[in-house]
Amino acid sequence: MDDLRVKYLDAIANAADEAALEDLRLQAVGKKGEVSLKMRELGKMTPEERQVAGPALNALKDEINSALSAKKSALADAALDERLRGEWLDVTLPSRPTRQGSIHPISQVTDEVTAIFADMGFSVAEGPQVESDWYNFDALNIPGHHPARAEMDTFYMHRAEGDDRPPHVLRTHTSPVQIRSMEKAGAPLRVICPGRVYRADYDQTHTPMFHQVEGLAIDKDISMANLKWVLEEFVRAFFEVDHVELRFRASHFPFTEPSAEVDIRCSWEGGTLKVGEGDDWLEILGSGMVHPKVLAAGGIDPDQWQGFAFGVGIDRITMLKYGIPDLRAFFDSDLRWLRHYGFASLDQPNLQGGLSR
Ligand code: PHE
């Protein structure tokens, strides 16, 4: 019995894995194991012999069983330790400092503007860049002969010879999304529509493709005062400065009545563009109360509903906020420029954490 104890306790202590342990269990205390066979021999013993051998065999069996389960949990612990060592990760390490790529200022500003208007309860709507003549013009109260069509320097799409339907256009503003949003959601409505727009124009403050964000709020009792508050609130949040001066200038758009253009005080001194100081004004948006005909074109009853709309030049306000003097650089894809003016890809603008950290 002593030989069996030494043999099995040694083998169990040295078992390499659970499979080896199971083999040992079968060999020792399994149905045909050595200890079990010895127990069967008890029947052939004299009662005196049995009285000694019985308890001793039971004790041996218990000893082997507990050695087996102790070794089993030791093996499991070792396996877990091994795995934890292999999969170890220091989550407190800083991220890699060399970032590849960056967020373009236009994308950054679009996200900033969206965050500000989302906070005021506006949702985001989108429309196509290749737009029908009806959405881009007619529905916005700009009929075929209207001079505004010529003023917009529109890019027209090609039509096959003999097809005299009006050609599609590259949308000249985001205002067609007003109509699409009214058709889709009806009144009341509060949306902003950021996106690309196109006009044949090119100089320091104009490029043939640029960006606007349209705003539209429709309800029963919306007035010009609401428009003014929303725009002032937006400009203050956007420029993150206490002092910004706006100038509301009476203007004309076919799709709003009355209409106002808004300029912001700025300076171009020393080739850098600064907002909030200086003797210059830069026009940043057009706005007004939505024309009844436009509401009707969008399927909304102008006798019941009214609202305001505005269109902000995203590129313009980006130049102003980040002191970028030439609009054309936005679209040159110059890597040095992008590295200088770009934003870290993980910094999502929000009102709580700071728009442009
Ligand atoms: N669509 C006008 C433009 O591109 C801007 C605007 C939008 C004006 C909404 C009034 C209301 O110039």
Side-chain angles (χ1 to χ4, degrees):
M1 242 184 259
D2 277 343
D3 288 349
L4 280 179
R5 168 182 293 109
V6 172
K7 174 178 166 190
Y8 281 109
L9 292 186
D10 256 16
I12 289 169
N14 293 324
D17 52 31
E18 277 196 45
L21 217 51
E22 177 62 9
D23 280 348
L24 285 169
R25 189 185 69 78
L26 291 172
Q27 272 176 48
V29 295
K31 255 196 196 137
K32 290 180 186 153
E34 282 193 273
V35 177
S36 312
L37 291 178
K38 278 258 174 314
M39 286 177 133
R40 263 185 234 171
E41 287 169 16
L42 286 174
K44 295 178 212 147
M45 294 180 186
T46 64
E48 292 73 32
E49 282 173 331
R50 203 180 305 139
Q51 225 162 37
V52 181
L57 273 173
N58 266 326
L60 177 60
K61 189 181 168 191
D62 288 347
E63 201 176 348
I64 289 176
N65 271 330
S66 54
L68 281 167
S69 66
K71 181 67 181 180
K72 192 170 172 182
S73 64
L75 281 174
D77 283 353
L80 183 62
D81 280 349
E82 180 68 29
R83 200 171 141 207
L84 286 174
R85 246 194 316 281
E87 295 176 6
W88 183 82
L89 181 70
D90 185 354
V91 294
T92 67
L93 282 175
S95 58
R96 294 202 170 86
T98 46
R99 62 173 209 235
Q100 294 278 321
S102 59
I103 300 295
H104 193 282
I106 299 288
S107 305
Q108 166 76 17
V109 164
T110 304
D111 288 346
E112 292 180 14
V113 170
T114 305
I116 296 169
F117 281 106
D119 197 55
M120 292 196 260
F122 286 75
S123 48
V124 174
E126 284 180 312
Q129 295 172 39
V130 176
E131 190 53 284
S132 77
D133 187 74
W134 188 80
Y135 279 111
N136 196 79
F137 295 122
D138 294 82
L140 292 162
N141 194 30
I142 313 174
H145 56 268
H146 199 284
R149 291 207 180 200
E151 280 163 25
M152 286 237 190
D153 305 306
T154 310
F155 287 111
Y156 290 93
M157 305 299 285
H158 183 70
R159 274 266 186 240
E161 193 102 30
D163 184 343
D164 15 271
R165 285 173 305 165
H168 279 64
V169 300
L170 290 179
R171 68 178 179 194
T172 58
H173 48 183
T174 42
S175 300
V177 190
Q178 283 190 35
I179 305 294
R180 291 181 176 275
S181 306
M182 290 186 222
E183 284 177 342
K184 208 163 152 191
L189 189 61
R190 224 187 294 178
V191 287
I192 56 163
C193 327
R196 293 185 165 172
V197 300
Y198 303 83
R199 289 179 207 176
D201 209 350
Y202 191 65
D203 62 31
Q204 197 175 348
T205 52
H206 297 89
T207 49
M209 185 281 294
F210 57 107
H211 301 79
Q212 287 187 334
V213 57
E214 193 83 6
L216 176 67
I218 296 174
D219 214 319
K220 299 250 163 172
D221 54 2
I222 286 195
S223 75
M224 200 80 181
N226 299 127
L227 167 68
K228 193 158 181 262
W229 182 86
V230 164
L231 291 178
E232 281 172 351
E233 198 62 21
F234 160 67
V235 167
R236 208 174 307 132
F238 177 73
F239 286 107
E240 300 174 76
V241 289
D242 294 333
H243 191 70
V244 254
E245 210 179 321
L246 293 184
R247 181 168 78 176
F248 283 78
R249 207 164 15 83
S251 182
H252 175 265
F253 298 101
F255 32 91
T256 48
E257 179 59 36
S259 306
E261 277 175 310
V262 176
D263 306 332
I264 192 161
R265 187 184 283 283
C266 67
S267 107
W268 295 84
E269 236 171 52
T272 46
L273 185 54
K274 282 210 193 93
V275 71
E277 57 183 71
D279 300 322
D280 273 311
W281 294 92
L282 192 69
E283 184 198 319
I284 56 165
L285 66 91
S287 65
M289 298 303 292
V290 182
H291 196 289
K293 284 191 180 170
V294 174
L295 290 171
I300 288 177
D301 180 358
D303 291 330
Q304 282 202 50
W305 303 95
Q306 57 188 13
F308 64 73
F310 56 84
V312 185
I314 292 185
D315 318 74
R316 292 282 180 90
I317 60 173
T318 306
M319 293 169 73
L320 281 164
K321 178 165 182 179
Y322 294 110
I324 303 170
D326 196 323
L327 180 62
R328 292 167 293 195
F330 278 128
F331 312 115
D332 283 345
S333 302
D334 181 330
L335 274 181
R336 290 162 305 177
W337 188 94
L338 289 168
R339 279 191 196 115
H340 180 74
Y341 286 109
F343 290 81
S345 49
L346 294 175
D347 288 344
Q348 272 291 318
N350 67 71
L351 290 181
Q352 290 71 35
L355 281 179
S356 57
R357 267 165 313 142

